[in-house]
Amino acid sequence: MVRGKIKKMMAAALAVTMVFTMTACGSDSEEKTADGYAKEIYLYNWSEYMSEDVLNKFEEEYGIKVVETTFESNDEMLAKLMAGGGSEYDIAVPSNFYIESMKANDLLEPLDKDVITNYDNIDETYRTMQCDPDGEYCVPYMGTSCVWIANKKMLDDYGIESHKMDDLKNDNLKNNILLVDDSQAIMSVGLLGCGLDPTSGNLDDIAKAKDYISGLNPYIKAFAASTDTRDSMAKGEVAVALMYSGEALQAMKENPDLEVVMDGEQCSLSMDTMVLLKGSKHKEEAELFLNFILRPDISAELTNEFQFICANKAAVEYLDDDLKNSPLCVLTDDMKKRIFMINTFDADAISAETDAVMEIKSSR
């Protein structure tokens, strides 16, 4: 009986898999909309990173349903696509530092700007990102930065300026700084403190950055989770923090004394992008969706919901006022000039950075 049930379950599972594969990959006989479009396209996205309202609006407008499958990491996404899963999807949402690997593995289809006419809505700063300098493959979706935030009232009381890394080495800031617990972000700060390229993966440079951050240990209260950093800054428990822009924006809403500082230093930017996958069975429909996402009202709706950096200059006027006026959502011209992006995935460098931060923590 048990063996019979297992056979039946396997047969049923196989049938479901075959149906899904035929649907996901598309076929000549699949149903079309009244306008001749395929009725479904397939999006491979981060979890909780797309509005159902937006998907419903797209379906109402074009008669095309967006079937979304989610992943939890860039590694998971890339492994699935390289194992042949690319044939199941039309669009994926990788971070900028995975674009190089996707190009090398021939996973990307160039964008047709004659179809994706709303591409011109993208701010010029993000159209030519280092990972895609000719704007050939990537549609910027959501961005984040790792920025320095300070309690301006506390700094004024201490008489502290906050423009360069050396400004942090002040007796009044001992045990008064939080760093988000992100090895790459921390090492980039150390590299900047040494006057080095913040994107460097050179092991000697990383060793120098480790020594620099170790020298900040007396001033560092903790290496904290992003939410803990946000809460501490919102409550006014510490004077300065290195934190993700999304959490910083939330903290600044709660505490009006907070502001972005370190205007004399570079700041990081990472960008999740929408890309068209090589061999897409629904290229025309996928390009319609990308063009739809870049519409000002739609882009603003997504930014209002998820509150990351807005790359769509035409969407700014549609944003909620608090986001429209926030330098952590609509980057200032000064911040745009100071951003850097890490666009390669260097396993040796990442391992060295992780080890370096562990050593710094253990020496406290």
Side-chain angles (χ1 to χ4, degrees), residues 347-358:
D348 290 339
I350 290 173
S351 177
E353 289 172 342
T354 302
D355 290 344
V357 172
M358 288 180 64

Side-chain angles (χ1 to χ4, degrees), residues 31 43 73 85 112 138 146 179 218 236 241 280 313 328 330 360:
E31 291 185 55
L43 171 65
S73 71
D112 186 344
C138 299
C146 206
L179 299 185
S280 163
K313 64 181 180 182
L328 297 177
V330 182
I360 293 168

Side-chain angles (χ1 to χ4, degrees), residues 103-134:
K103 286 181 185 177
N105 287 282
D106 197 27
L107 294 173
L108 303 181
E109 185 78 23
L111 304 172
D112 186 344
K113 306 290 181 56
D114 291 333
V115 176
I116 309 174
T117 55
N118 287 332
Y119 187 86
D120 289 342
N121 290 337
I122 300 170
D123 188 298
E124 290 82 355
T125 301
Y126 311 110
R127 286 190 211 171
T128 54
M129 296 183 297
Q130 295 163 344
C131 62
D132 187 30
D134 298 320

Side-chain angles (χ1 to χ4, degrees), residues 328-346:
L328 297 177
C329 180
V330 182
L331 296 190
T332 64
D333 289 340
D334 173 64
M335 289 182 72
K336 289 175 188 174
K337 292 175 183 176
R338 294 188 289 112
I339 57 176
F340 66 87
M341 301 181 77
I342 298 174
N343 290 299
T344 57
F345 186 84
D346 186 327

Side-chain angles (χ1 to χ4, degrees), residues 37-319:
Y37 298 128
K39 286 194 171 183
E40 293 183 337
I41 60 172
Y42 297 86
L43 171 65
Y44 197 27
N45 194 9
W46 298 85
S47 61
E48 300 181 3
Y49 213 32
M50 174 55 66
S51 163
E52 282 298 322
D53 286 342
V54 166
L55 297 184
N56 291 337
K57 286 178 181 178
F58 180 72
E59 185 173 4
E60 289 169 8
E61 189 163 328
Y62 291 101
I64 303 169
K65 180 178 178 61
V66 179
V67 180
E68 185 179 28
T69 304
T70 62
F71 56 84
E72 298 300 327
S73 71
N74 281 292
D75 286 339
E76 179 187 345
M77 176 272 303
L78 184 60
K80 178 70 178 288
L81 297 181
M82 288 182 63
S87 61
E88 297 178 17
Y89 309 108
D90 301 297
I91 298 168
V93 190
S95 300
N96 61 282
F97 43 91
Y98 271 67
I99 297 300
E100 183 178 290
S101 293
M102 295 184 79
K103 286 181 185 177
N105 287 282
D106 197 27
L107 294 173
L108 303 181
E109 185 78 23
L111 304 172
D112 186 344
K113 306 290 181 56
D114 291 333
V115 176
I116 309 174
T117 55
N118 287 332
Y119 187 86
D120 289 342
N121 290 337
I122 300 170
D123 188 298
E124 290 82 355
T125 301
Y126 311 110
R127 286 190 211 171
T128 54
M129 296 183 297
Q130 295 163 344
C131 62
D132 187 30
D134 298 320
E136 188 177 3
Y137 297 103
C138 299
V139 171
Y141 183 54
M142 299 280 181
T144 190
S145 183
C146 206
V147 294
W148 286 101
I149 301 296
N151 187 307
K152 182 62 175 172
K153 186 176 183 302
M154 293 174 73
L155 292 192
D156 287 345
D157 289 344
Y158 297 148
I160 297 175
E161 297 290 331
S162 53
H163 305 291
K164 302 285 290 182
M165 288 297 302
D166 285 346
D167 291 335
L168 299 178
K169 297 178 179 179
N170 185 296
D171 285 346
N172 287 316
L173 290 181
K174 285 186 176 179
N175 202 39
N176 213 353
I177 297 173
L178 290 178
L179 299 185
V180 66
D181 197 0
D182 178 327
S183 297
Q184 197 168 54
I186 293 167
M187 284 295 102
S188 289
V189 165
L191 290 165
L192 285 171
C194 295
L196 298 169
D197 178 359
T199 70
S200 176
N202 180 280
L203 299 186
D204 288 338
D205 288 349
I206 291 172
K208 293 174 183 175
K210 183 193 78 170
D211 291 341
Y212 184 90
I213 298 297
S214 294
L216 284 179
N217 257 340
Y219 308 92
I220 298 171
K221 181 176 182 178
F223 297 85
S226 58
T227 52
D228 292 338
T229 306
R230 176 199 64 200
D231 294 344
S232 289
M233 291 303 291
K235 294 174 183 176
E237 294 176 343
V238 290
V240 181
L242 177 73
M243 58 196 301
Y244 300 135
S245 55
E247 278 76 15
L249 194 153
Q250 294 172 31
M252 291 171 76
K253 285 181 181 179
E254 296 182 39
N255 188 336
D257 291 330
L258 302 181
E259 66 177 13
V260 181
V261 293
M262 296 297 180
D263 55 3
E265 298 285 1
Q266 290 177 269
C267 55
S268 70
L269 172 71
S270 60
M271 183 69 69
D272 291 330
T273 70
M274 287 194 167
V275 296
L276 185 64
L277 294 173
K278 193 71 170 282
S280 163
K281 305 298 191 299
H282 313 104
K283 183 174 183 289
E284 181 181 13
E285 294 83 356
E287 288 174 334
L288 278 177
F289 181 70
L290 294 177
N291 201 49
F292 180 78
I293 289 295
L294 288 173
R295 232 167 60 181
D297 57 324
I298 298 300
S299 181
E301 182 175 341
L302 288 163
T303 303
N304 285 333
E305 179 167 348
F306 296 105
Q307 302 193 2
F308 288 97
I309 292 171
C310 179
N312 189 324
K313 64 181 180 182
V316 172
E317 64 177 292
Y318 297 88
L319 294 176

